[in-house]
Amino acid sequence: FGFLKLSLIGIMLLVAMLFFQLVTLPVEFNASHRALIQLKELGIKDSSTRIYEVLKEMIIDDKKFF
């Protein structure tokens, strides 16, 4: 390979990664809130693991950020 071909391959890979991140970004919005609802619906609650506290903090951080 020459330098030009290698550079083009690198640019194409970076564009592909950017496209993948943009496509999957909507899934990340509100994910912690949906996880908290899912845990409550399934009845999963273990106070020793602090799952609920961490998810609630993430929800608060999401609201501050957006």
Side-chain angles (χ1 to χ4, degrees):
F1 290 137
F3 177 74
L4 182 60
K5 286 184 180 182
L6 195 56
S7 298
L8 288 175
I9 291 172
I11 290 171
M12 289 172 36
L13 288 173
L14 286 172
V15 169
M17 288 188 313
L18 177 65
F19 178 73
F20 178 77
Q21 289 178 352
L22 289 175
V23 168
T24 59
L25 184 62
V27 175
E28 298 299 325
F29 288 123
N30 207 13
S32 54
H33 180 67
R34 287 183 283 137
L36 186 61
I37 291 172
Q38 187 76 24
L39 287 173
K40 286 181 181 178
E41 287 177 355
L42 293 174
I44 300 172
K45 185 173 183 179
D46 187 7
S47 59
S48 65
T49 59
R50 295 189 54 225
I51 293 173
Y52 286 96
E53 290 81 11
V54 171
L55 286 173
K56 286 179 183 177
E57 289 174 12
M58 292 173 69
I59 291 169
I60 291 170
D61 288 343
D62 285 345
K63 289 181 181 178
K64 288 180 187 176
F65 185 70
F66 297 107

